[in-house]
Amino acid sequence: MKSIFKYSLVALALTGLTACNQEQDTQAVAATTSTTLTTPEQKESYSIGASIGAYMSGHIAEQETLGMPVDKQLIIEGFSNGLSNELKLTEEEMQTVLQSLDEKLNEKRMAEAKALAEKAAADSQAFLAENAKKEGVKVTDSGLQYEVLVQGDGAMPSAEDTVEVNYLGTLTDGTKFDSSYDRGEPIKFPLNRVIPGWTEGVQLMNVGSKFKFVIPAELAYGDRDTGTIPPNSTLVFEVELLGVDKAEAPEAPAAQ
């Protein structure tokens, strides 16, 4: 039955929720769950079942969140039947069913992602419009918004320089997605190797300054979903510029 594992959901269906045998009665199941694991073989067997269960749990939760109900008892029954090689459907039937299920789940995921991206875009536009009205907020030609929290008097970087900063990054709802403060140390990077909003914004700062930047999605990660940052997200950063390492001037060409 190896060919079944071409589809991600086949692995879910045939590995099952638990190593329980469907023929076990309630008392036997209860006894199993309280078994003391002493030998390596017991721990190995238990770990296989527990890891399968944990893996299955996440996928079942996602499927239910997408509005597709799951019959957990039938998953357990299917797993038990698979162990005993007494299947109620043929391999070909299961491949067809599970391929169809994969396709339906992918359609649901794509529809949900599109809806979230559209909502994020609308929310971002509303936030940018409102933030631009606040006292002290300036807007550049690109659409970058910034506010001077502390004005320093040190050097100003160019795009080719390496800067040292501390920063806090949040979504517009205040959700934190990154912070050098949490890591306990500042970070250094070439200013032209980051998102455009940072490259533009940090060049407005003097060493010793602290600015608040509101960066539209088109100057950040656009419609990409980075996991912690949804697509079309406007980002809010508080940035302290601690230092600037000037880029070396290019060498003049040798005289001919």
Side-chain angles (χ1 to χ4, degrees), residues 116-126 231-233:
L116 289 173
E118 290 174 350
K119 182 179 184 302
D123 290 347
S124 289
Q125 290 304 312
N232 297 329
S233 290

Side-chain angles (χ1 to χ4, degrees), residues 73-105:
Q73 283 305 117
L74 282 176
I75 292 178
I76 294 172
E77 181 178 344
F79 179 67
S80 179
N81 290 166
L83 287 177
S84 61
N85 199 26
E86 297 175 353
L87 301 176
K88 296 180 179 179
L89 296 174
T90 66
E91 177 180 338
E92 290 75 19
E93 287 174 324
M94 288 189 291
Q95 285 180 331
T96 300
V97 168
L98 292 166
Q99 183 179 18
S100 174
L101 179 55
D102 257 345
E103 290 170 354
K104 287 189 288 186
L105 282 170

